[in-house]
Amino acid sequence: MALDQLDTPLRISWDFHGNGEPMPVELVDCVVERLLEAGVFFVTLEREPLRHSQIAKVLERLLAGGCQSLVVCSGRSEELAVLGSALPLRRLFLDISRWIESGALLRKPLAAVVEEVRSKGLEPDFYLVPNTGNILLIPELFALCQALGIGRIKLPNSPYDGSLAGTEAGLLPGPDDLDRLADLLQQAPLNSSTGVTLDIHDLFLWELLQPSLGGERGEYGGCQAGNSLGHIDFRGQLHPCSSWPQPLGLLTQQSIETLWDSALRHQIRAEIAASPKGCLGCGDYPICFGGCRGLARSLNKQAGERDLLCRGPRPHRS
């Protein structure tokens, strides 16, 4: 299967570190070659890529090969030190999780890092993986973006490699967290005139946040794992997405095109096309198609593999 024959362009996320260890240089070179030979158009570099010794070379090669890249920065001093004219970047995602402590947003130190990034000629967007400890801070974060002139907040899916311990799995938000966020938004709705864009992965979180801004979601065909989404972990394994722990194979052994045309990837897409037991009879299934299927199949079997943020089947709309 040629990737340029897919219905939508393939977007890949790529982890540069795992278990505290950087991806080996020779493996980085291999991944870059695989991305370029496959003609991947868009890649997001994650897990502190600015700490990797090869980051400048990677960005230059991807740019020269026509692959657009975005970098996620955790804001540590060693990462900020490498920013500047030496890197072919104009924007980056600033992972703000470091500035959330005990359920509070540390506004002043975060604002200082934003100014430092801007002093290097870059414009940051905010990046935050929603969890039980930060989801109620989204309205405050939205207001802070307005105050600082931040144009975008990205709320990505929760990564899952199959090793979440009980405590970590308990940090994943659920329906009760959405209810609490809904109560906050009733008291103080988001201001649609701020110019701040919300980029929300989870359909149920989007459903709660985006309509209050007057926006509409474009066509949504359900979980995009193994379709328009892919993920490369620090071992060089290609996954259907960062929330689907079953790897398709190693990029040191097979190309992206070969793995994307494998029986396993087609099997995963067939699984996604089938209705989860927990969604049977739901009136909104034609809208959400079961939501995030990777997390649901791994962590929500007791509820019939529904999306973790879904409370249960909804009545049919009249």
Side-chain angles (χ1 to χ4, degrees), residues 13 15 46-47 95 127-131 155-164 168-169 172 201 231 241-245 292 294-295 298-299 308:
S13 54
D15 287 348
E46 301 179 342
R47 295 282 183 96
D95 184 346
Y127 178 101
L128 183 66
V129 177
N131 62 38
L155 303 174
N157 55 319
S158 297
Y160 177 59
D161 63 4
S163 63
L164 280 180
E168 293 172 310
L172 297 175
H201 181 273
H231 176 72
C241 85
S242 62
S243 298
W244 199 291
C292 177
L295 290 176
S298 300
L299 300 170
L308 295 177

Side-chain angles (χ1 to χ4, degrees), residues 173-175 178 201-205 220 276 278-279 288-293 295-297 300 303-312:
L178 275 192
H201 181 273
D202 189 90
L203 182 67
F204 294 89
L205 187 56
Y220 174 72
C279 299
C288 84
F289 301 100
C292 177
R293 302 293 290 279
L295 290 176
R297 74 192 289 271
N300 209 21
E305 300 186 2
R306 285 197 308 270
D307 187 287
L308 295 177
L309 288 173
C310 179
R311 188 170 296 282

Side-chain angles (χ1 to χ4, degrees), residues 90-104:
R90 289 295 175 266
R91 300 188 71 90
L92 81 160
F93 287 129
L94 186 60
D95 184 346
I96 66 164
S97 57
R98 290 184 59 237
W99 292 277
I100 295 176
E101 292 183 2
S102 302

Side-chain angles (χ1 to χ4, degrees), residues 27-40:
L27 185 51
V28 170
D29 289 340
C30 173
V31 170
V32 170
E33 288 300 321
R34 294 300 196 190
L35 290 169
L36 294 179
E37 71 185 15
V40 173

